[in-house]
Amino acid sequence: MSAVMTGYGNAKLITGNGIPTEVSSPNATVIDFRSDTVTKPNNEMRTAMMNADVGDDVYGEDPTVNELQKLGAQLMGKEAALFVPSGTMSNLIALLTHCKLRGSEAIVGDESHILHYEQTGAAQRINLRSVKTFADGTLDLEEVKKKIRNSKDAHQSHSVLLCVENTHNRCGGRIVPQKWIVKAGQLARENNMKFHLDGARIFNAAVALDVLVSELVEPFDSVSVCLSKGLGAPVGSLLIGTKHFIEEAHRCRKALGGGMRQAGILAAAGILSLAKGPTRLAQDHIFTKQLAVTAQEVGKGVVEVDLDTVETNMVMLKVEPISGATPNSIVKRFAESTEKEVHAIGQDIRLLAYPMTETNIRIVVHCSNTPEDIKLAQDKLGYVFDEIKQSNAV
Ligand SMILES: *Cc1c(COP(=O)(O)O)cnc(C)c1O
């Protein structure tokens, strides 16, 4: 539970409107690695938004939304898709739609986004049962087997859904092995359960593995994907599945207040994010690896970086307790600078990162980061870690 409490609350320590309050210096360069949600729509997107053909999407009459949904379904190799305001609503609709009979429950990983960062919204209607998550984002299938409840016993709720996350956020953007996903899907099917993917960053996995995203999502009955993260759209997610499932999801979206009327304005950006976003992600992954290698080298004694786990656009810095520093203290220091430091680096650099757990700092690379940002970030990491090491030496 304590890990949950160190969530977004801590990020607020250093941010107001996305910029640390301390950064009042007009000369400071702010490099934002808190999340890939911070990306802003580019000019091409803004132009497409301005020119979008629109209609009332609650009536299914917005041509741009319809085009986006068609494109999303096509890319995923599924029948239909639904445009929704957020990944959180997308997961919520999926869970409520699959678990529509009263007394049903979904099995989720104990490190899943659904459990940690969505106010467990689904749990306000259905039961969520959590199972152990391993470091690679897989779940303990033996535990899943033990926890599935589908007897007629009136004492028990009914397990009807198994959820998986790929790439796995709290595991540091890990790509969940497809072999395991196929096995988990078989287990779900054998038990008459549906299989849902929280694929907020599934395109990162597809690009890193150099496979079609449709291959990765093939075992799933439903998929949620964020357009607003690394793909670069300002708003929105897609929920994808069979035609029947999406019809029901459409009803559910309305009940949750997610019917957005002339949403083609947003969908126009979404279409570009799907058309151009995925191939571009490869660049984020290259930058991420560069940062990870630097952090591992210059951070020795302060943070530990396991390069083998850096697979997509995230790096986890595991803070060494012996350093005397904590994720919070380091993140705070990243966002500040000193005169001495500005002199040494030659610039006032402020890094924003996210103290994700009691031990880990998360760095997320995205399409707003330039090669110059990465170089400056490397300088900053080197400087701050040296400073921490020196303060321990005296
Ligand atoms: C970001 C994220 C979501 C939720 O997306 P929002 O659009 O922020 O609501 C869901 N699952 C995972 C794994 C995420 O990273």
Side-chain angles (χ1 to χ4, degrees), residues 37 85-89 91 113-114 118 165 167 169 198 200-201 226 228-229 237:
T37 56
S86 67
T88 299
M89 190 186 284
N91 280 331
H113 195 281
I114 290 174
E118 301 179 14
E165 187 173 314
T167 63
N169 185 352
D198 178 355
R201 299 186 181 85
C226 286
S228 59
K229 292 192 170 154
S237 281

mmCIF file of all heavy atoms in Angstrom, residues 37 85-89 91 113-114 118 165 167 169 198 200-201 226 228-229 237, ligand 1:
data_model
loop_
_atom_site.group_PDB
_atom_site.id
_atom_site.type_symbol
_atom_site.label_atom_id
_atom_site.label_comp_id
_atom_site.label_asym_id
_atom_site.label_seq_id
_atom_site.Cartn_x
_atom_site.Cartn_y
_atom_site.Cartn_z
ATOM 1 N N THR A 37 3.209 11.504 -21.192
ATOM 2 C CA THR A 37 1.923 12.200 -21.321
ATOM 3 C C THR A 37 2.116 13.703 -21.523
ATOM 4 O O THR A 37 1.160 14.398 -21.845
ATOM 5 C CB THR A 37 1.064 12.025 -20.051
ATOM 6 O OG1 THR A 37 1.831 12.488 -18.938
ATOM 7 C CG2 THR A 37 0.669 10.590 -19.834
ATOM 8 N N PRO A 85 -11.977 9.324 -23.887
ATOM 9 C CA PRO A 85 -11.162 10.461 -23.446
ATOM 10 C C PRO A 85 -9.812 10.083 -22.841
ATOM 11 O O PRO A 85 -8.875 10.860 -22.916
ATOM 12 C CB PRO A 85 -12.039 11.139 -22.378
ATOM 13 C CG PRO A 85 -13.411 10.654 -22.620
ATOM 14 C CD PRO A 85 -13.285 9.298 -23.229
ATOM 15 N N SER A 86 -9.706 8.913 -22.214
ATOM 16 C CA SER A 86 -8.459 8.590 -21.511
ATOM 17 C C SER A 86 -8.252 7.082 -21.419
ATOM 18 O O SER A 86 -9.196 6.300 -21.599
ATOM 19 C CB SER A 86 -8.499 9.160 -20.088
ATOM 20 O OG SER A 86 -9.489 8.463 -19.349
ATOM 21 N N GLY A 87 -7.021 6.712 -21.076
ATOM 22 C CA GLY A 87 -6.714 5.303 -20.857
ATOM 23 C C GLY A 87 -7.442 4.772 -19.638
ATOM 24 O O GLY A 87 -7.846 3.609 -19.586
ATOM 25 N N THR A 88 -7.605 5.633 -18.662
ATOM 26 C CA THR A 88 -8.318 5.231 -17.448
ATOM 27 C C THR A 88 -9.765 4.875 -17.767
ATOM 28 O O THR A 88 -10.271 3.834 -17.341
ATOM 29 C CB THR A 88 -8.262 6.385 -16.411
ATOM 30 O OG1 THR A 88 -6.891 6.632 -16.108
ATOM 31 C CG2 THR A 88 -9.014 6.039 -15.151
ATOM 32 N N MET A 89 -10.428 5.722 -18.573
ATOM 33 C CA MET A 89 -11.815 5.404 -18.923
ATOM 34 C C MET A 89 -11.879 4.168 -19.819
ATOM 35 O O MET A 89 -12.802 3.356 -19.713
ATOM 36 C CB MET A 89 -12.529 6.585 -19.594
ATOM 37 C CG MET A 89 -14.026 6.305 -19.730
ATOM 38 S SD MET A 89 -14.967 7.533 -20.638
ATOM 39 C CE MET A 89 -15.096 8.841 -19.443
ATOM 40 N N ASN A 91 -9.873 1.496 -19.792
ATOM 41 C CA ASN A 91 -9.790 0.300 -18.942
ATOM 42 C C ASN A 91 -11.083 0.107 -18.153
ATOM 43 O O ASN A 91 -11.586 -1.007 -18.026
ATOM 44 C CB ASN A 91 -8.610 0.412 -17.967
ATOM 45 C CG ASN A 91 -7.284 0.068 -18.628
ATOM 46 O OD1 ASN A 91 -7.232 -0.735 -19.569
ATOM 47 N ND2 ASN A 91 -6.208 0.652 -18.137
ATOM 48 N N HIS A 113 -1.355 -0.780 -13.529
ATOM 49 C CA HIS A 113 -1.891 0.584 -13.564
ATOM 50 C C HIS A 113 -3.340 0.583 -13.101
ATOM 51 O O HIS A 113 -3.779 1.478 -12.365
ATOM 52 C CB HIS A 113 -1.787 1.121 -14.994
ATOM 53 C CG HIS A 113 -1.965 2.609 -15.103
ATOM 54 N ND1 HIS A 113 -3.202 3.213 -15.074
ATOM 55 C CD2 HIS A 113 -1.071 3.621 -15.233
ATOM 56 C CE1 HIS A 113 -3.050 4.519 -15.199
ATOM 57 N NE2 HIS A 113 -1.776 4.798 -15.291
ATOM 58 N N ILE A 114 -4.087 -0.446 -13.494
ATOM 59 C CA ILE A 114 -5.510 -0.542 -13.115
ATOM 60 C C ILE A 114 -5.664 -0.501 -11.599
ATOM 61 O O ILE A 114 -6.586 0.123 -11.071
ATOM 62 C CB ILE A 114 -6.129 -1.841 -13.702
ATOM 63 C CG1 ILE A 114 -6.244 -1.725 -15.221
ATOM 64 C CG2 ILE A 114 -7.482 -2.149 -13.069
ATOM 65 C CD1 ILE A 114 -6.704 -2.997 -15.915
ATOM 66 N N GLU A 118 -5.757 4.243 -11.070
ATOM 67 C CA GLU A 118 -7.063 4.559 -11.651
ATOM 68 C C GLU A 118 -8.121 4.652 -10.567
ATOM 69 O O GLU A 118 -9.292 4.387 -10.787
ATOM 70 C CB GLU A 118 -7.415 3.510 -12.738
ATOM 71 C CG GLU A 118 -6.337 3.510 -13.819
ATOM 72 C CD GLU A 118 -6.540 2.495 -14.941
ATOM 73 O OE1 GLU A 118 -7.637 1.935 -15.070
ATOM 74 O OE2 GLU A 118 -5.568 2.291 -15.693
ATOM 75 N N GLU A 165 -0.813 -6.092 -18.566
ATOM 76 C CA GLU A 165 -0.323 -4.767 -18.982
ATOM 77 C C GLU A 165 0.964 -4.934 -19.797
ATOM 78 O O GLU A 165 1.890 -5.628 -19.374
ATOM 79 C CB GLU A 165 -0.054 -3.952 -17.711
ATOM 80 C CG GLU A 165 0.311 -2.506 -17.948
ATOM 81 C CD GLU A 165 0.395 -1.753 -16.616
ATOM 82 O OE1 GLU A 165 -0.510 -1.894 -15.763
ATOM 83 O OE2 GLU A 165 1.378 -1.022 -16.418
ATOM 84 N N THR A 167 3.433 -2.384 -22.663
ATOM 85 C CA THR A 167 4.556 -2.564 -21.781
ATOM 86 C C THR A 167 4.126 -2.273 -20.343
ATOM 87 O O THR A 167 3.132 -1.594 -20.119
ATOM 88 C CB THR A 167 5.714 -1.600 -22.150
ATOM 89 O OG1 THR A 167 5.294 -0.235 -21.972
ATOM 90 C CG2 THR A 167 6.118 -1.782 -23.586
ATOM 91 N N ASN A 169 4.244 -0.518 -16.954
ATOM 92 C CA ASN A 169 4.657 0.783 -16.433
ATOM 93 C C ASN A 169 5.504 0.660 -15.163
ATOM 94 O O ASN A 169 6.680 1.043 -15.150
ATOM 95 C CB ASN A 169 3.376 1.601 -16.190
ATOM 96 C CG ASN A 169 3.654 3.024 -15.759
ATOM 97 O OD1 ASN A 169 4.772 3.412 -15.489
ATOM 98 N ND2 ASN A 169 2.606 3.817 -15.697
ATOM 99 N N ASP A 198 -4.191 -4.008 -21.055
ATOM 100 C CA ASP A 198 -3.935 -2.588 -20.878
ATOM 101 C C ASP A 198 -2.665 -2.312 -21.683
ATOM 102 O O ASP A 198 -1.550 -2.440 -21.184
ATOM 103 C CB ASP A 198 -3.749 -2.263 -19.392
ATOM 104 C CG ASP A 198 -3.440 -0.779 -19.176
ATOM 105 O OD1 ASP A 198 -3.280 -0.054 -20.189
ATOM 106 O OD2 ASP A 198 -3.348 -0.352 -18.006
ATOM 107 N N ALA A 200 -1.558 0.508 -22.993
ATOM 108 C CA ALA A 200 -1.337 1.957 -23.082
ATOM 109 C C ALA A 200 -0.135 2.236 -23.991
ATOM 110 O O ALA A 200 -0.172 3.132 -24.826
ATOM 111 C CB ALA A 200 -1.104 2.540 -21.688
ATOM 112 N N ARG A 201 0.938 1.432 -23.819
ATOM 113 C CA ARG A 201 2.160 1.613 -24.626
ATOM 114 C C ARG A 201 2.476 0.365 -25.452
ATOM 115 O O ARG A 201 3.645 0.005 -25.608
ATOM 116 C CB ARG A 201 3.338 1.955 -23.716
ATOM 117 C CG ARG A 201 3.159 3.240 -22.940
ATOM 118 C CD ARG A 201 4.404 3.622 -22.161
ATOM 119 N NE ARG A 201 4.197 4.857 -21.410
ATOM 120 C CZ ARG A 201 3.648 4.928 -20.212
ATOM 121 N NH1 ARG A 201 3.266 3.815 -19.605
ATOM 122 N NH2 ARG A 201 3.488 6.089 -19.611
ATOM 123 N N CYS A 226 -3.210 3.978 -25.520
ATOM 124 C CA CYS A 226 -3.191 5.433 -25.353
ATOM 125 C C CYS A 226 -2.627 6.102 -26.606
ATOM 126 O O CYS A 226 -1.534 5.765 -27.055
ATOM 127 C CB CYS A 226 -2.327 5.835 -24.165
ATOM 128 S SG CYS A 226 -3.072 5.505 -22.577
ATOM 129 N N SER A 228 -2.329 9.380 -26.404
ATOM 130 C CA SER A 228 -1.840 10.623 -25.781
ATOM 131 C C SER A 228 -0.474 10.473 -25.130
ATOM 132 O O SER A 228 -0.003 11.388 -24.473
ATOM 133 C CB SER A 228 -2.844 11.065 -24.725
ATOM 134 O OG SER A 228 -2.978 10.035 -23.755
ATOM 135 N N LYS A 229 0.155 9.318 -25.272
ATOM 136 C CA LYS A 229 1.483 9.153 -24.658
ATOM 137 C C LYS A 229 2.545 9.292 -25.740
ATOM 138 O O LYS A 229 2.575 10.298 -26.428
ATOM 139 C CB LYS A 229 1.528 7.838 -23.910
ATOM 140 C CG LYS A 229 0.591 7.927 -22.712
ATOM 141 C CD LYS A 229 0.729 6.825 -21.726
ATOM 142 C CE LYS A 229 -0.084 7.187 -20.487
ATOM 143 N NZ LYS A 229 -0.499 6.004 -19.762
ATOM 144 N N SER A 237 -7.699 7.801 -25.984
ATOM 145 C CA SER A 237 -7.308 6.398 -26.058
ATOM 146 C C SER A 237 -8.295 5.683 -26.958
ATOM 147 O O SER A 237 -9.376 6.207 -27.244
ATOM 148 C CB SER A 237 -7.362 5.761 -24.668
ATOM 149 O OG SER A 237 -6.233 6.101 -23.911
HETATM 150 C C1 LIG B 1 -1.226 6.082 -18.713
HETATM 151 C C2 LIG B 1 -1.707 4.718 -18.502
HETATM 152 C C3 LIG B 1 -3.073 4.450 -18.419
HETATM 153 C C4 LIG B 1 -4.134 5.544 -18.316
HETATM 154 O O1 LIG B 1 -4.112 6.506 -19.254
HETATM 155 P P1 LIG B 1 -4.702 7.987 -18.970
HETATM 156 O O2 LIG B 1 -4.968 8.470 -20.336
HETATM 157 O O3 LIG B 1 -3.608 8.718 -18.269
HETATM 158 O O4 LIG B 1 -5.918 7.853 -18.145
HETATM 159 C C5 LIG B 1 -3.454 3.141 -18.303
HETATM 160 N N1 LIG B 1 -2.555 2.146 -18.257
HETATM 161 C C6 LIG B 1 -1.224 2.366 -18.322
HETATM 162 C C7 LIG B 1 -0.293 1.213 -18.284
HETATM 163 C C8 LIG B 1 -0.757 3.660 -18.435
HETATM 164 O O5 LIG B 1 0.554 3.882 -18.482
#
